[in-house]
Amino acid sequence: MKSILFIFLCGIFLSLSCGNSRHLNEQKIQQGLEGIVQIVKGDRMPSPDVPLAEPAGYPTTVYIHELTAVSQLRKLNKAGLYANVPTTLVASVKTDSLGHFAVELPPGEYSVFVQYENGFYANWFNEKNQIGPALVQEKKLTRLKLLVSADATF
């Protein structure tokens, strides 16, 4: 009798957990940013003897600011790492344990930063020297792959 009750309870818990994941997928955002934050460290020079490790998902916080020029930032001791971001914070979102994130945003141009150590990390620029640029268009989802490589050598 106890084993039947155990199986019954396991079935209930399983159906409840599946129901919750289905519910989250139904609420997927329609406009904004979606992506993954990954990290690489150490020697990233290609070698025929040692294959490079794949980037790992990085659980952190992603900060979306008004479009920011590099000249507005104060650099820290590592490439791509900044002390603070003086432009207006539009949104922030925590990634999951694998580094995935999604945030709904109005159309516009933004700068995207990743919390890393005691600073804000971004290492890509546009032709106007604006850092971490991302464009959100009406009724579209912009996908990003953010790679934190502050402790890697290439």
Side-chain angles (χ1 to χ4, degrees):
M1 179 68 179
K2 287 183 181 179
S3 61
I4 294 174
L5 182 58
F6 177 75
I7 293 171
F8 177 73
L9 289 175
C10 287
I12 288 175
F13 288 127
L14 182 60
S15 67
L16 287 175
S17 66
C18 289
N20 286 341
S21 64
R22 206 176 307 119
H23 180 68
L24 291 174
N25 290 338
E26 290 171 2
Q27 292 182 343
K28 193 170 185 178
I29 64 170
Q30 301 298 313
Q31 175 181 294
L33 300 175
E34 173 182 72
I36 187 169
V37 179
Q38 295 179 310
I39 189 166
V40 292
K41 291 184 176 187
D43 186 358
R44 302 296 294 173
M45 292 297 289
S47 168
D49 301 327
V50 181
L52 289 176
E54 290 295 317
Y58 184 60
T60 187
T61 303
V62 176
Y63 296 94
I64 297 93
H65 283 259
E66 289 179 342
L67 200 54
T68 306
V70 175
S71 61
Q72 295 175 275
L73 302 171
R74 185 171 58 88
K75 293 179 182 179
L76 290 176
N77 59 342
K78 294 181 181 178
L81 197 59
Y82 301 93
N84 67 340
V85 183
T87 53
T88 302
L89 177 66
V90 176
S92 65
V93 60
K94 288 193 178 287
T95 65
D96 66 14
S97 62
L98 299 175
H100 294 101
F101 69 93
V103 60
E104 193 161 10
L105 293 166
E109 290 184 88
Y110 302 97
S111 285
V112 180
F113 296 87
V114 173
Q115 180 69 49
Y116 183 68
E117 294 179 351
N118 292 326
F120 299 89
Y121 183 83
N123 67 345
W124 72 99
F125 311 88
N126 64 15
E127 69 282 353
K128 296 176 185 171
N129 217 21
Q130 295 163 325
I131 191 165
L135 175 64
V136 174
Q137 296 177 335
E138 181 114 14
K139 298 180 184 175
K140 291 191 177 180
L141 201 55
T142 301
R143 288 185 170 73
L144 301 175
K145 183 176 179 181
L146 308 176
L147 185 65
V148 177
S149 60
D151 288 315
T153 54
F154 295 90

